[in-house]
Amino acid sequence: MTHLKGAEEITIRDVWEARKRIASIVKKTPLIHSATLSEKAGRPVHLKLENVQDIGAFKVRGAANKILSLSEDEKRRGVAAFSTGNHGLAVSYVAKKLGIPAFVCISSRVPKAKVEALQRLGATLEIVGDSQDDAGERCYELEREKGLTVVHPFDDPHVITGQGTIGLELLEELPQLKDVVIPLSGGGLLSGIGLALKSTDQNIRVTGVSMERSAVMAESLKAGKPLLMKESETLADSLLGGIGLDNQYTFTMVKRFMDDLLHIPEEEIAYSMAYMMDKHQLIMEGAAATGIAAVLGEKLPHQDGDIAVIISGSNVDLSALLPLLRTYFRNK
Ligand SMILES: *Cc1c(COP(=O)(O)O)cnc(C)c1O
């Protein structure tokens, strides 16, 4: 077992190490200037396009940093994840690239399209029970039985600093950055980027964005401790999921690095997804569109300076986009 650092001990040096470690399998993503959003906001708006990663989301960064830092022995035994979303794809993708076994534990309710996407990446699927909790339990059983390493979706120093490499890329291309807008769920993405940016300049403002309902991190921060909450239906499905009652890192780091938190209503997420298809020919999933909604709704606390919005992913069913587009054009 390697010694794991405490939340306070993770530094920007760890993010630089992550950057070096993951360079061979993770893309450096484009940062593009958005003319239409800049005009709306009255200040320069830039989009960090994590949707162009091979799996369509940023989560390969954290997964790659975690898996590449395992010992040769641990790699040979393999890795496991219990997410059907972008994290499951990321772990399977990285394992495939490295030629090591990946197990993804899922419940019997997981839709066929997601099962097939995981199978295409060569993951071994363990189908158990009918809830995400059952799948999680099975995953930790596999860890004990087969000596697999479970890759946590956010609450792990290597995962956090892997996601933080986005912060380094932002500073390189946009040293004058004033505001960054980051979709928030478990908080690995915000903790990592926040660490990289705030270690460089305390004055860069970090704004988290979530949907209105089931924003577990937000409620936990208000309560002063991690909470459990029921999930509700949302277009930002990648932002669902708890933060863990035994949260070790992201609760502390989000509290430390996040200046503001915005809650985006479902209609505004829907509008932003359609708006970006219309004006930018860009498809993004609901989670990523929360950041666009923050800009379109002029909700950012500051008046001037460059804004970067993290376009965290684009994995959405085309069939889910049709009704949004219909509503958008009807109201236009
Ligand atoms: C996982 C994910 C997020 C949230 O990341 P956390 O580290 O859990 O806060 C945001 N957007 C997309 C597309 C994701 O897959």
Side-chain angles (χ1 to χ4, degrees), residues 183-332:
L184 173 69
S185 175
L189 182 63
L190 192 142
S191 296
I193 297 177
L195 168 68
L197 297 181
K198 292 283 191 185
S199 308
T200 305
D201 180 355
Q202 279 289 341
N203 295 319
I204 297 174
R205 302 276 300 193
V206 174
T207 299
V209 273
S210 285
M211 60 284 183
E212 270 189 334
R213 283 167 279 163
S214 315
V216 185
M217 181 63 88
E219 293 304 321
S220 301
L221 288 171
K222 259 191 251 161
K225 59 170 200 277
L227 297 178
L228 279 181
M229 279 175 72
K230 268 240 249 335
E231 295 194 347
S232 4
E233 205 47 50
T234 173
L235 284 167
D237 54 296
S238 289
L239 300 185
L240 286 171
I243 66 165
L245 286 179
D246 56 348
N247 189 295
Q248 307 276 307
Y249 301 97
T250 57
F251 179 71
T252 309
M253 292 178 78
V254 169
K255 193 159 71 183
R256 183 160 152 220
F257 297 130
M258 186 170 70
D259 296 297
D260 301 285
L261 174 60
L262 300 172
H263 292 281
I264 310 295
E266 291 299 307
E267 316 81 73
E268 292 181 30
I269 300 176
Y271 177 83
S272 302
M273 290 167 80
Y275 178 92
M276 291 306 279
M277 281 187 269
D278 184 25
K279 305 287 189 207
H280 265 284
Q281 288 72 50
L282 255 181
I283 289 180
M284 57 185 64
E285 54 177 287
T290 56
I292 300 298
V295 174
L296 287 176
E298 296 172 41
K299 294 178 201 249
L300 293 181
H302 283 244
Q303 306 303 317
D304 51 24
D306 288 65
I307 307 173
V309 182
I310 310 299
I311 307 305
S312 52
S314 57
N315 289 324
V316 55
D317 270 349
L318 282 182
S319 60
L321 296 176
L322 282 174
L324 309 185
L325 284 171
R326 262 188 230 111
T327 308
Y328 176 81
F329 284 111
R330 197 167 44 227
N331 297 338
K332 210 173 155 176

Side-chain angles (χ1 to χ4, degrees), residues 69-89:
S69 53
L70 298 176
S71 70
E72 287 312 310
D73 225 34
E74 287 169 325
K75 282 186 196 147
R76 199 162 24 74
R77 289 197 296 267
V79 291
F82 50 96
S83 145
T84 57
N86 292 331
H87 176 64
L89 292 175

Side-chain angles (χ1 to χ4, degrees), residues 2-145:
T2 42
H3 164 73
L4 286 183
K5 294 186 175 189
E8 310 295 331
E9 296 171 87
I10 307 173
T11 69
I12 192 169
R13 183 190 292 270
D14 298 306
V15 185
W16 282 107
E17 282 176 8
R19 159 134 151 178
K20 184 160 182 221
R21 196 176 288 121
I22 69 177
S24 59
I25 51 174
V26 174
K27 280 203 188 87
K28 193 172 165 194
T29 54
L31 181 73
I32 62 167
H33 176 260
S34 165
T36 64
L37 289 172
S38 300
E39 196 180 315
K40 279 260 177 206
R43 48 193 287 213
V45 178
H46 311 262
L47 307 176
K48 181 66 170 160
L49 299 183
E50 288 300 305
N51 56 304
V52 309
Q53 297 287 3
D54 281 356
I55 61 145
F58 70 90
K59 283 208 174 66
V60 280
R61 294 178 185 260
N65 193 39
K66 174 69 180 182
I67 296 173
L68 286 166
S69 53
L70 298 176
S71 70
E72 287 312 310
D73 225 34
E74 287 169 325
K75 282 186 196 147
R76 199 162 24 74
R77 289 197 296 267
V79 291
F82 50 96
S83 145
T84 57
N86 292 331
H87 176 64
L89 292 175
V91 169
S92 308
Y93 173 86
V94 173
K96 186 175 184 187
K97 281 250 162 179
L98 300 177
I100 70 178
F103 294 78
V104 180
C105 306
I106 60 178
S107 84
S108 54
R109 288 173 193 256
V110 172
K112 205 161 148 248
K114 289 192 164 177
V115 171
E116 284 169 0
L118 290 165
Q119 280 168 334
R120 269 199 301 281
L121 288 168
T124 303
L125 298 183
E126 289 267 329
I127 300 171
V128 273
D130 55 11
S131 78
Q132 192 59 12
D133 285 349
D134 293 340
E137 257 173 51
R138 177 65 189 139
C139 221
Y140 286 104
E141 234 170 69
L142 283 175
E143 183 172 58
R144 290 189 296 271
E145 283 171 14

